[in-house]
Structure formats: C-alpha cells, structure tokens
Amino acid sequence: MFSAKFEELVQSLRLLPGVGPKSAQRMALHLLTRNRSGGRQLAHALDDAMLSIHQCSQCRSLSESEVCTLCLSTHREPGLLCVVESASDVVAIESSGGYRGRYFVLGGHLSPLDGIGPDALGIPLLLSRLQHEAIDEVILATNATMEGQATAHYLGEAIRQLPRDIRLSRIAQGVPQGGELEYINGHTISQALQSRQPLQ
Amino acid sequence: MFSAKFEELVQSLRLLPGVGPKSAQRMALHLLTRNRSGGRQLAHALDDAMLSIHQCSQCRSLSESEVCTLCLSTHREPGLLCVVESASDVVAIESSGGYRGRYFVLGGHLSPLDGIGPDALGIPLLLSRLQHEAIDEVILATNATMEGQATAHYLGEAIRQLPRDIRLSRIAQGVPQGGELEYINGHTISQALQSRQPLQ
C-alpha cells in the first residue's frame, strides 16, 4: 500500500502465530505512526534473542548460557526429571507451581513419517543422563494426544531397559478442573473412569 | 523464565497492539523454537521500516520517498482531496475502492487540552496546498466522533475563508450497510433521519 518496505513489514509480522493480514497491518501502522522507538526496540530484542538464546546442553530447554538456570538451580529436587515435548510446556508446568524437579525437553514427538525419530528428540542424551545421574523418578509429561502417548510409550520401554532402577510415571489423565461431564468427550470420561482413585 | 533476553523479547512483543502477556510469550517461544530465521527477518523488516518510512511531504501519509506514490500517481483525480485523521484511514478508504482522488493525513484530531492544535495536524500545509494547487473539492473524512466532528468543523471554517472557491463536503453519516435499526444507537438514527435522501 504505502511502500515496498511497509508490505515487507506486514508480511514479516504475519510470521507471528495468530497474526492475520488485518492485525499485521494494524501493528505496522501503530508502530510507524505512534511508536517508532518501540518498533526499533522490538527489532533489537528479536535479533538479540534469536542470536543469544540457545538450547540448554543438559535439558534442551531455552537458555542464554550453555546450561540453563533451572538445571543449575540448587533449589530443585535433583532426583526428579519431567520429560515434556516443548519449552512452552516447561512454562506451563512452572506457572502451575506444582513441580520442584528438573526438566527434559524433547522438542516434539516421535513422527516417523516426518523423519522425526529418537535422535531428533535427544532421546540418546536423555538415556545417557539417566544412566550417569542420580535420577530416581521420571515423569513422562508428553501431551495427551496420540503422538504424545506413543512417544511416552516408547520412552517408557527404553527407560525400563536401562540397567538402573528408575520409577516411571505418566501425568494423570481425566476430567480437567472445573470440567462438567456433559461437555467432556467420551474418551476422556472412559479414561477418568478407568483411572478412578480410591476416595480418601 | 528462561533468561533475561527472553523476558525482554516478551516485553517488547507486548508493544504490538492487541498483544497481551500470554500471546507475547507464545510468539517468543514460537520464533525461538520453530522459526529463528523468521524472527531475524522480522527484526530486519522492523528496523528497515522504522528507519526508511517517513511522512510524505505533500499529504503526510507514509512513504519511503519524499513524496508518496499516491501523490505522484497520474491516475488519481488531481482536483479531489480527502482529509483523514490517520494513515490507517487511507488504507480503509483505498480498500473500499470507492475513491479516486488524493489524500491529506492530519495525524490525529484537534485536542487543545493535549496541546494538539492546527500546527501539529499540518493544517497550515493543507491550507497552503489548497491556495496553490488546482483542488476543486475537499472531502472532510475525519471520524464521526466528537473530536473528528469538531476537527471537520474547524477545517470547514478555515477553508471557507480562503480566497478560492472550493467545494466542501463531509462523508455521510447514517445507518451502516447491513445495520438493523433495533441494534443501532439513537444518535445514529436521528442523524440518518435528518440526512434522509430523496428516493430515486
């Protein structure tokens, strides 16, 4: 509309998740007419983050240093490891406040058709850590999707074959907090009935 | 959460209109884990746009060159000028496809309490263009808000005092296309009744 560089900015803003053509245009106009210094600040923060944030060499989560703050922290239970699919799952679990162990981030789930096998998910690194570190329990917290379940199943088998005795668990599946049975799908209800807990 | 630069990126993404803390975090994680080259492309496009897109010296819209493509175009009616509040109004009118003249962008509305007077809106430039160019009609297309109305009123008075004979009009106000009377506010209905048009 206004110039080639304007169009380029609108197209680039559409790379952000959840941003369509209308919002991208609104964002570009907002920055250009009302907050140019903000636009430059965002450009700088993006460049900086893309260049200096990498995978933690221990847990494959995001980190500026070679090993991330969660792995280095002395306040986390060293014997407990939670395996998740992505760094956003770490954020979700951390903000729940219900976990004090460490993490391992696969960076996806097994998907042989897309060529994503154990190596791409860092599973050899995970198994080697389990052999050499004093980890007593592994919580498999991959998503409750078909692919997440298959990945958890694969990991369970692989970890059971290790020469160490490690407790294995899978996050519980059932009716979510606040869920009303009439609006919940049949699979979830069957699962919640099967995994019923003794009343205390 | 992951690092200082991650937090900085999340905070900077919140400068975009309509982006709250949750979306900003989702955007940052998406770029870092799935599209780093996209993140760098966006950084570059932002920097480039903020540095090379300026106000057109004739119409105060956005432009990479000193005079924008709309002002330079030989396909626009030279005698017709539409005065709008912002560059996004130019986008809105252009995408309606119903206008073939040129524009003048005020960059806001008169707001004496905020120190925004005629000079800040480029009104002297507008009046000088009207005196020196062969412009026959000015359409006042400021918003149908209190401030937009007041600005249109002020512009009308100022343009009428020019020594040239210029037709002045204001965009029509009434019931929007698809509007159902029962859901439309009283002010709009009174306005639509007062401005009724002879049936053709």
Side-chain angles (χ1 to χ4, degrees):
Chain A
M1 161 89 222
F2 298 110
S3 78
K5 285 184 206 280
F6 181 81
E7 283 313 317
E8 220 169 279
L9 175 57
V10 171
Q11 290 309 317
S12 300
L13 282 164
R14 293 193 56 191
L15 296 172
L16 296 170
V19 175
K22 280 261 176 186
S23 330
Q25 200 175 61
R26 197 160 57 93
M27 287 171 171
L29 283 168
H30 174 87
L31 292 177
L32 282 167
T33 57
R34 288 188 215 160
N35 196 358
R36 274 169 191 260
S37 64
R40 300 211 61 203
Q41 178 190 325
L42 176 54
H44 179 76
L46 275 165
D47 229 7
D48 219 21
M50 297 304 138
L51 289 174
S52 45
I53 299 177
H54 303 282
Q55 258 185 7
C56 166
S57 65
Q58 280 192 30
C59 74
R60 292 167 49 101
S61 181
L62 298 169
S63 173
E64 268 176 62
S65 43
E66 207 222 316
V67 179
C68 76
T69 46
L70 279 176
C71 283
L72 288 174
S73 166
T74 53
H75 295 90
R76 316 289 300 200
E77 273 180 53
L80 189 58
L81 194 74
C82 180
V83 180
V84 294
E85 289 189 27
S86 75
S88 34
D89 300 333
V90 174
V91 176
I93 295 177
E94 281 300 293
S95 55
S96 81
Y99 181 66
R100 298 298 303 162
R102 297 210 171 87
Y103 295 92
F104 188 87
V105 178
L106 298 169
H109 44 246
L110 290 173
S111 180
L113 291 178
D114 304 312
I116 300 174
D119 288 350
L121 302 182
I123 293 176
L125 170 63
L126 171 63
L127 297 177
S128 128
R129 282 190 60 190
L130 293 178
Q131 280 184 290
H132 300 107
E133 290 177 35
I135 294 169
D136 313 312
E137 180 173 357
V138 171
I139 303 174
L140 300 172
T142 52
N143 291 332
T145 56
M146 286 257 284
E147 297 85 354
Q149 300 283 32
T151 307
H153 179 77
Y154 175 92
L155 283 170
E157 293 297 306
I159 294 170
R160 276 211 189 86
Q161 278 167 30
L162 292 178
R164 284 196 53 219
D165 189 27
I166 294 173
R167 257 178 302 150
L168 263 176
S169 57
R170 175 92 177 101
I171 44 163
Q173 281 171 58
V175 178
Q177 178 84 42
E180 294 179 58
L181 289 193
E182 63 173 316
Y183 299 114
I184 284 172
N185 66 64
H187 275 293
T188 302
I189 292 184
S190 316
Q191 186 75 48
L193 287 169
Q194 266 173 41
S195 313
R196 64 190 179 277
Q197 303 278 316
L199 199 66
Q200 284 168 339
Chain B
M1 159 90 223
F2 297 111
S3 76
K5 285 184 206 279
F6 181 81
E7 283 312 316
E8 220 170 279
L9 175 56
V10 171
Q11 290 309 318
S12 301
L13 283 164
R14 292 195 57 191
L15 296 172
L16 296 170
V19 175
K22 279 261 177 186
S23 330
Q25 197 174 64
R26 198 161 56 95
M27 288 172 170
L29 283 167
H30 174 87
L31 292 176
L32 282 166
T33 56
R34 289 190 211 159
N35 196 358
R36 274 169 190 259
S37 65
R40 300 212 61 201
Q41 178 190 324
L42 176 55
H44 179 76
L46 274 165
D47 230 6
D48 219 20
M50 297 304 137
L51 289 174
S52 45
I53 300 178
H54 303 283
Q55 257 186 7
C56 166
S57 65
Q58 279 191 31
C59 74
R60 294 168 47 102
S61 180
L62 297 170
S63 173
E64 266 177 64
S65 43
E66 206 220 317
V67 178
C68 76
T69 46
L70 279 176
C71 284
L72 288 175
S73 167
T74 53
H75 295 91
R76 315 291 298 203
E77 273 181 52
L80 189 57
L81 194 74
C82 180
V83 180
V84 294
E85 290 189 28
S86 75
S88 34
D89 300 333
V90 175
V91 176
I93 295 177
E94 281 300 293
S95 56
S96 80
Y99 180 68
R100 297 299 303 162
R102 296 208 171 88
Y103 294 92
F104 188 86
V105 177
L106 298 169
H109 45 247
L110 289 173
S111 180
L113 290 179
D114 304 313
I116 300 174
D119 288 351
L121 302 182
I123 293 177
L125 171 63
L126 171 64
L127 296 177
S128 128
R129 282 189 59 188
L130 293 178
Q131 280 184 289
H132 300 106
E133 290 177 35
I135 294 169
D136 313 312
E137 181 174 355
V138 172
I139 303 174
L140 300 172
T142 50
N143 291 333
T145 56
M146 286 256 285
E147 298 85 356
Q149 300 284 33
T151 306
H153 180 78
Y154 175 92
L155 283 170
E157 293 297 307
I159 294 170
R160 276 212 188 87
Q161 279 168 29
L162 293 178
R164 284 196 52 220
D165 190 27
I166 294 172
R167 256 179 301 149
L168 262 177
S169 56
R170 175 92 177 100
I171 44 163
Q173 280 170 59
V175 177
Q177 179 87 43
E180 294 179 58
L181 290 194
E182 64 172 314
Y183 299 115
I184 285 171
N185 66 65
H187 274 291
T188 302
I189 291 183
S190 318
Q191 187 74 49
L193 287 169
Q194 266 173 41
S195 313
R196 63 191 180 278
Q197 303 279 317
L199 201 64
Q200 284 166 340

